[in-house]
Amino acid sequence: MVRVIVDGTPVDVPPDFSALQACEAAGKEIPRFCYHERLSVAGNCRMCLVQVARAPKPVASCGFPVSEGMEILTDTEVVRRARRAVMEFLLINHPLDCPICDQGGECDLQDQAYGYGTGISRYHEAKRAVTDKDIGPLVKTVMTRCIQCTRCVRFTTEVAGTPELGMVFRGENAEITTYVEKALTSELSGNLIDVCPVGALTSKPAAFHGRSWEYKKTDSIDVMDAVGTNIQVHARSGEVMRIVPRVNDEVNEEWLSDKGRFSIDGLKRRRLDRPWVRVHGKLVEASWQDAFVALARRLDGVAGYQIGAVAGDLCDAESLCALKDLMAALGSPNVDCRQDNAWYDLTSREGYLFNSGITGIGEADVLLLVGTHPRHEAPVLNARIRKRFLAAGRGHFPIGMIGQPPTDPTYDVTVLGDGPEALGALQAGGSEFAEAFRKAKRPMIILGHGALTRPDAAGIYAACQTLLSQGEAVAEGWQGLNILHTAASRVAGLDLGLVPGLRGRSASGMLRGGVDILWLLGADEFPVDKIGTETFVVYQGHHGDAAAARADIILPGAAYTEKPGTYVNTEGRVQRSFRAVFPPGEAREDWRILRAFSEVLGKTLPYDTLEAVRERMAAINPVFRQGGGGLQPAAQIAGQGTSAPAAAASVSAPEGRVEAGAFRPVVRDYYLTNAISRASPTMAECSRVYGPAAAVAAE
Amino acid sequence: MNTQQAQPDSFVFDSASEAEIVVALSKYPPERKASAVMPLLYIAQRQMGRLTGSAWVPVVAMDEIARRLGMAAIRVYEVASFYTMFNTKPVGRYHLQVCTTTPCWLRGSDDVVAACKRATGITAFGETSADGQFTLTQVECLGACSNAPILQVDDDYYEDMDGPRTVALIESLRKGERPPAGPTINRSGSAPEGGRKTLMDPVHSISENK
Ligand code: SF4
Ligand code: FES
Ligand code: FES
C-alpha cells in the first residue's frame, strides 16, 4: 500500500493504482472520457487533469502512477481552468445535436460539459464533419459526434477480441472506422453502445425510440445463455424498450451478449396471448376455463406413466418446480428438462456445474475445451477466457481445444483433435499441451454440450475426470471440471430434479411416442416432427414457435421479462429477476397456470404465492434458499446440493467407453437459438449478415 | 473515404521485395515482427511503383502485410493512413511533393506550386494529371529548410527551386530523365552558393586555437 494525499485527506491505495483511481478511492469524482476501468489506459482526452504537488503543470491522472506521499489536488483553480479548456476543445468539433441524439440524457459529454464546462463557445470557424460508417445491424454510428477517445477501439481489440475498429488518418482528419466497410463480427458488439461516452455509437434497432429518463428500470437476468448475465430491463408503457447489463464482477463484469441485448423485438412478435384448443384438427381460440376443461377431460383416465413433460431452455425455476409437482400429482415419472438429451453425472451437483466458477477462469493456468465453442455458447464467458489469455501473456495460458472451432475463438488455441479420441491421446501424454496440463496447478476443462449430447457422453466425462486426476500439482481444493450449459433453465431443472424418475422416460423416449400426453413447457429446441402422431401435445409457453404449431392445446405463458423468476446459471449461482412488464393478453405467469390447472384437476398444488413456491423449491433443494442475492461460487454450494433429488434419478455411473467421431457444434447459428430470438427481426437480420455459423457450411 | 475505388483484387510480393522483406524482418525479434510494418508497407509501395508505375499501397497489400506480421489488418490500415508518405490511393508515375511550410513559402514555394500546376495541367493539390504522369501533393516541412524551397519527387529532394527550374525539371521527367537530386543552384549541399565564404584562411583559424 502507498499513502497518497488527495485534497488533504490521506488514503492508502495499492502501488499499481493511478492517480485517478486514488482520487476515486478518496471519494473524489474525476471527469474522464477515454479512461474505462476495464480497458487499457489511453490517456488521450485530457479530461482527467489534476494537480500534483511539485509537478510543473496539470497531469492526466488516469495514466499517472501513484507514489508514496504524493499530494493530489482535484479542486483548485488551475484544475478547474484546465477542465474548462479541455471541454472547450472537445466541443469545438462536436455538433450541438443533443435534442435529436439518442445518447441525450445519459451522455458523459453532456453531463461533463454541464458540470465542468464554461457554457459558451468562442469558436466561430467551421466544424468538421465525418461520414457515418455502416458497422452492421446493431450499432448505429454518427461519427461527427465522436470525440476520439478510442474506447471502442480498445473494447473490440481487448475485450471482444475482434480487432476490426481503428483510428485512421490523423489530426483533424482522424476518424474511427473499420476502413474497409464491414460489419463488426463480435457477439459482444452491443457493449460499444455503453462504452462510447457520447452519441457516436448508439443502438441501431432502438434509434429514436425513446429517452433514457422515460424508462421504468427493472433488474433481471438474461436467459439467452446459461451465464446468468445480470441485466436491467428498461420498459415504457408496458413495452420492453431496451436491455442493458448490470455490473456483476463475478458473472458478467459489465458486458452483455448481443443476443441478450437485441432479441427484445422478438418479445413483441409471434406471442401466444390467449389459450387455443385444437378442434377437428384446427386450433381455435378458447378461454382459460375451456382450455383447462378440455385438457382435464383429455387427461381423465389416462394412467400417470402415459403422461410426460419436457421443460424448455428459458424457464424460470418456479415454473419448473410447479411442472414437476403437477407431474408428480398426476402420478407420472416422465419429466425431463433436457430436451437435447444431454447426459450429466447426476450423483452430485458437481456433476453438472461449472465448478471453477466464472471467476475461476482468471485463476486457471491451462484450459482444455471439449466439445464446446464458448464464443457462440456464452460470449460473455468467452470474454473472460480472452481476458485470462491476455493477462497471462503470450504462451503462458495454453488453451487446447477438442473439436474444430467454427469461428475464431478470439484467443490462440491448439486444436488437439476432432473427437473424444484426443482425450485418450492427452492421457497418454507426450504432447506439449499434455505436459502443460499435467504440470498445471489449476488445470481447467470446459466440457460442452457438443460432447454431453453424444451417446458416449459418460465415457467422455470419465476421460476428463481421469485426465484431471493425472495432474501432478493440482492445487488443494481446485475443481477443474466444468460443464458449460447453454440453456438458462438447465441447472435449475437439474437442481429441482426434472429428470425421469423410476422407470420414467427421458425426453427422447417421450418424443418417440412413449407417452400419450406430452406437456411441453416452453420446449422448442428439438425436432417437433419427431413427436408421434398419436401424441396429444400441450404447449405452455410464450411464443408461437414450431412446438406450438404442433400442439393440441396451447396455454399462453410469460416471457422472462414478464414474470419474477429464479434462475440458476451454469456455475450454480441462484439469481432472481423481477417483472418488468405484464404478459400480453390472457397470458399468465407459468407457475400460476400450472397451479390453476392443478385446481381444476382437483389435485391442487400446495402453494398460492410466489413466496410459497420458493419455499417449496427450497424444500426440494436447499440451494434455492440462498436465492435473491445469495451469490456464491458453485464450489461452496456444491456440497449442500448432494441431497438434490437429481441423485435419486436413474443414472448410470460415469463410466463407459468413448467412440470415434467429431464433436458437432452446439450452436449452429448464434443469433437464432430460442423462440424469442427466432421471432426477432433484429436477430434475423444479424443471422442474414453474419451467416449461420461457419460450421454448418463445413458440414 | 471510398476504399473500394480502384483497388486491385490481389497482391503478391515479387522476388525483389521478398529479398527486402528478409532484411527488414531480420531487424526485429520474431515475436515482435509487427514492428516491421512500416518497412513492409514501404516495400509494397515501391513494388507497386516498379510494377504498375504508381507507387501506392492497396488494401490487399495491407492485408497481406497483416497476415505476414500476425497483426490485425486494421492496425496496418491505421499505420498506413497515419503517415502521409504511404499513398493509400493511386498516384501518378511521378509524385510531386511541394513543401509549403513557412521557410519554403518565404523562399518562393508559391512559384514552385504554380509552376507544377502550369507544367502538368493539375489544378489543385491531390490531383493527378490527365496523362497519369504526375500527382501534386502539398507537404509540410521536409527538414531541408536551408535549401528552401523544396520539391520532392518520389524519394528525391530537388532543392533551391524556383518557377523556371521546376518547369524544366518536370519537362525532363516527362522525357523519362531523372536529373540528379540535390541543389539546383551552384552550391554543394547546404554550403553557400558559389563555394565557401568563411574560414577561408587556414592559418588564421589554427592560430586562433593556439
Ligand atoms: S466512437 Fe465513441 S467510443 Fe469510439 S472513439 Fe468515438 S467517442 Fe470514443
Ligand atoms: S481520462 Fe485521462 S486522459 Fe482521458
Ligand atoms: S519548410 Fe520546407 S523544408 Fe522546412
Side-chain angles (χ1 to χ4, degrees):
Chain A
M1 286 297 197
V2 182
R3 171 152 299 194
V4 297
I5 296 134
V6 179
D7 292 340
T9 322
V11 278
D12 292 320
V13 296
D16 58 348
F17 260 34
S18 64
L20 187 149
Q21 287 169 308
C23 294
E24 280 191 331
K28 295 287 173 185
E29 186 184 281
I30 304 294
R32 85 285 305 266
F33 292 109
C34 70
Y35 175 77
H36 190 286
E37 299 82 350
R38 297 182 207 274
L39 303 176
S40 61
V41 173
N44 55 12
C45 75
R46 316 315 278 181
M47 192 61 202
C48 63
L49 292 175
V50 295
Q51 247 185 315
V52 172
R54 287 179 297 280
K57 52 186 181 174
V59 300
S61 60
C62 67
F64 198 79
V66 292
S67 55
E68 184 63 41
M70 196 164 100
E71 276 177 60
I72 307 173
L73 299 167
T74 69
D75 196 25
T76 61
E77 187 50 30
V78 172
V79 172
R80 278 193 294 269
R81 272 185 18 225
R83 287 173 182 165
R84 278 201 289 272
V86 171
M87 249 352 279
E88 196 172 358
F89 271 120
L90 284 171
L91 292 176
I92 277 184
N93 279 319
H94 193 80
L96 241 184
D97 61 354
C98 306
I100 55 142
C101 175
D102 271 323
Q103 190 83 357
E106 49 182 359
C107 174
D108 290 355
L109 195 65
Q110 231 177 17
D111 296 348
Q112 292 181 33
Y114 187 77
Y116 305 101
T118 45
I120 52 147
S121 169
R122 292 174 291 175
Y123 184 77
H124 297 292
E125 290 75 7
K127 291 186 176 221
R128 81 179 197 134
V130 181
T131 35
D132 295 341
K133 312 291 181 294
D134 184 359
I135 56 173
L138 300 178
V139 181
K140 177 184 156 180
T141 67
V142 181
M143 292 324 277
T144 302
R145 295 181 190 144
C146 170
I147 57 167
Q148 270 108 32
C149 68
T150 70
R151 276 188 188 180
C152 54
V153 176
R154 284 172 284 146
F155 176 84
T156 49
T157 306
E158 294 161 18
V159 179
T162 50
E164 294 163 331
L165 273 181
M167 182 148 79
V168 304
F169 304 113
R170 61 168 155 175
E172 178 83 354
N173 299 317
E175 51 182 85
I176 299 292
T177 171
T178 50
Y179 196 67
V180 284
E181 197 142 284
K182 67 181 292 218
L184 298 178
T185 57
S186 173
E187 291 78 15
L188 292 167
S189 63
N191 296 297
L192 288 171
I193 297 163
D194 298 338
V195 155
C196 180
V198 302
L201 306 177
T202 53
S203 167
K204 203 175 248 184
F208 306 130
H209 279 36
R211 289 303 206 175
S212 61
W213 60 84
E214 304 170 327
Y215 300 146
K216 186 179 124 231
K217 298 169 175 132
T218 313
D219 287 355
S220 187
I221 301 295
D222 179 42
V223 298
M224 296 294 146
D225 54 36
V227 173
T229 299
N230 290 203
I231 54 171
Q232 198 171 55
V233 179
H234 290 187
R236 190 187 58 197
S237 340
E239 195 182 318
V240 177
M241 301 305 290
R242 64 173 183 184
I243 290 181
V244 295
R246 278 183 291 141
V247 178
N248 185 337
D249 279 330
E250 296 186 343
V251 182
N252 55 306
E253 302 186 87
E254 58 181 272
W255 316 126
L256 171 59
S257 69
D258 284 354
K259 196 164 32 176
R261 189 186 297 257
F262 293 109
S263 288
I264 49 166
D265 48 357
L267 289 169
K268 290 180 292 197
R269 288 174 174 78
R270 291 201 222 151
R271 287 305 299 267
L272 301 170
D273 57 357
R274 70 199 64 183
W276 297 76
V277 177
R278 197 175 288 276
V279 183
H280 304 308
K282 274 197 77 166
L283 282 169
V284 294
E285 294 173 17
S287 68
W288 276 107
Q289 188 62 28
D290 295 347
F292 278 173
V293 168
L295 182 51
R297 212 171 276 151
R298 181 66 182 81
L299 278 168
D300 197 29
V302 179
Y305 67 86
Q306 295 284 49
I307 306 170
V310 176
D313 292 347
L314 309 179
C315 306
D316 52 316
E318 286 78 0
S319 58
L320 293 169
C321 177
L323 181 70
K324 180 186 156 73
D325 286 347
L326 180 69
M327 285 302 131
L330 286 166
S332 163
N334 308 321
V335 41
D336 207 340
C337 64
R338 302 161 301 178
Q339 40 178 343
D340 54 3
N341 298 300
W343 178 93
Y344 308 104
D345 174 12
L346 296 175
T347 49
S348 77
R349 208 170 178 237
E350 285 97 338
Y352 56 87
L353 290 187
F354 198 94
N355 292 302
S356 312
I358 293 175
T359 49
I361 296 171
E363 293 160 32
D365 40 21
V366 48
L367 173 64
L368 175 63
L369 301 167
V370 182
T372 180
H373 183 51
R375 177 168 174 185
H376 283 168
E377 293 161 36
V380 172
L381 187 141
N382 201 52
R384 285 270 186 174
I385 302 179
R386 176 166 169 83
K387 185 176 167 184
R388 173 75 188 114
F389 170 77
L390 289 183
R394 203 182 292 267
H396 293 295
F397 183 54
I399 305 175
M401 190 172 220
I402 305 183
Q404 292 292 341
T407 56
D408 172 21
T410 72
Y411 31 79
D412 295 345
V413 296
T414 316
V415 176
L416 302 161
D418 287 343
E421 320 80 80
L423 283 167
L426 275 179
Q427 283 170 11
S431 68
E432 198 183 325
F433 183 82
E435 288 318 304
F437 202 88
R438 195 189 301 271
K439 302 233 171 61
K441 286 204 189 65
R442 292 190 168 77
M444 186 166 184
I445 295 181
I446 299 183
L447 185 56
H449 283 63
L452 291 167
T453 51
R454 290 164 58 108
D456 58 348
I460 297 171
Y461 182 80
C464 290
Q465 278 183 321
T466 312
L467 187 59
L468 279 167
S469 68
Q470 288 175 342
E472 284 160 6
V474 180
E476 188 69 26
W478 173 254
Q479 300 211 40
L481 190 47
N482 296 285
I483 308 293
L484 179 58
H485 289 276
T486 52
S489 66
R490 186 65 50 90
V491 175
L494 297 171
D495 280 346
L496 290 167
L498 270 86
V499 288
L502 207 59
R503 278 193 287 281
R505 292 177 189 276
S506 69
S508 64
M510 287 184 245
L511 293 180
R512 276 197 308 267
V515 292
D516 284 349
I517 297 178
L518 181 59
W519 192 303
L520 300 175
L521 179 65
D524 284 296
E525 309 315 313
F526 61 90
V528 173
D529 48 8
K530 290 256 170 68
I531 303 176
T533 43
E534 300 299 300
T535 313
F536 184 86
V537 178
V538 182
Y539 183 80
Q540 178 185 352
H542 40 79
H543 272 77
D545 213 59
R550 168 64 184 81
D552 296 289
I553 287 192
I554 293 175
L555 305 175
Y560 69 113
T561 48
E562 297 154 6
K563 57 187 168 191
T566 303
Y567 300 91
V568 188
N569 80 351
T570 190
E571 31 164 19
R573 183 184 302 269
V574 179
Q575 304 186 102
R576 290 217 169 134
S577 68
F578 299 89
R579 174 170 51 225
V581 295
F582 284 95
E586 299 283 298
R588 292 290 179 269
E589 276 168 48
D590 292 277
W591 75 266
R592 288 185 195 276
I593 297 173
L594 291 153
R595 161 72 174 61
F597 181 62
S598 70
E599 206 171 324
V600 174
L601 277 180
K603 300 185 165 125
T604 313
L605 299 179
Y607 31 77
D608 203 12
T609 60
L610 191 59
E611 290 66 42
V613 194
R614 290 183 172 164
E615 265 312 304
R616 167 73 184 136
M617 283 155 44
I620 297 177
N621 191 333
V623 156
F624 289 100
R625 186 148 286 137
Q626 291 139 346
L631 309 172
Q632 56 277 87
Q636 282 170 33
I637 335 174
Q640 307 155 15
T642 41
S643 65
S650 53
V651 287
S652 52
E655 55 190 40
R657 55 185 81 232
V658 301
E659 291 154 27
F663 292 126
R664 304 186 130 243
V666 185
V667 174
R668 277 156 189 283
D669 185 342
Y670 167 72
Y671 296 97
L672 305 174
T673 56
N674 55 45
I676 299 176
S677 55
R678 277 192 296 269
S680 155
T682 307
M683 290 294 104
E685 175 64 6
C686 285
S687 168
R688 190 186 66 74
V689 171
Y690 300 108
V696 179
E699 268 172 24
Chain B
M1 167 203 52
N2 185 355
T3 49
Q4 311 306 327
Q5 173 193 39
Q7 294 283 342
D9 297 331
S10 62
F11 178 88
V12 265
F13 283 112
D14 64 8
S15 54
S17 298
E18 290 291 1
E20 291 181 63
I21 290 174
V22 172
V23 177
L25 286 179
S26 70
K27 295 179 187 162
Y28 307 98
E31 70 276 10
R32 298 249 181 268
K33 61 182 175 192
S35 302
V37 62
M38 304 230 315
L40 260 65
L41 280 166
Y42 208 50
I43 292 169
Q45 176 159 310
R46 278 207 304 264
Q47 172 177 327
M48 284 298 284
R50 216 165 43 233
L51 302 184
T52 69
S54 173
W56 68 297
V57 206
V59 170
V60 277
M62 295 193 259
D63 292 342
E64 170 63 13
I65 291 169
R67 198 186 60 73
R68 292 223 179 188
L69 301 182
M71 58 201 292
I74 184 74
R75 300 282 95 85
V76 182
Y77 307 154
E78 284 177 329
V79 172
S81 64
F82 182 89
Y83 293 102
T84 53
M85 295 80 148
F86 296 123
N87 303 315
T88 52
K89 282 189 291 203
V91 292
R93 175 168 293 271
Y94 303 104
H95 191 190
L96 309 177
Q97 300 153 82
V98 192
C99 172
T100 57
T101 306
T102 314
C104 284
W105 175 69
L106 286 170
R107 299 278 298 144
S109 66
D110 285 354
D111 296 342
V112 180
V113 173
C116 285
K117 289 183 179 171
R118 201 166 348 104
T120 60
I122 293 172
T123 54
F125 287 122
E127 281 180 12
T128 299
S129 61
D131 58 4
Q133 290 285 300
F134 300 97
T135 296
L136 182 63
T137 304
Q138 179 179 35
V139 297
E140 301 303 332
C141 180
L142 293 169
C145 320
S146 54
N147 291 50
I150 308 291
L151 169 58
Q152 183 187 349
V153 180
D154 301 339
D155 296 340
D156 297 328
Y157 281 14
Y158 292 93
E159 304 164 353
D160 307 303
M161 297 303 282
D162 65 3
R165 283 198 294 280
T166 301
V167 175
L169 173 63
I170 290 174
E171 287 316 320
S172 34
L173 289 173
R174 187 169 274 140
K175 286 193 227 112
E177 295 160 14
R178 282 249 186 199
T184 51
I185 53 175
N186 177 23
R187 71 197 272 192
S188 148
S190 49
E193 190 172 358
R196 197 130 75 119
K197 295 278 187 330
T198 56
L199 302 179
M200 304 295 277
D201 174 7
V203 181
H204 176 76
S205 57
I206 292 166
S207 61
E208 277 280 274
N209 285 342
K210 273 186 187 156

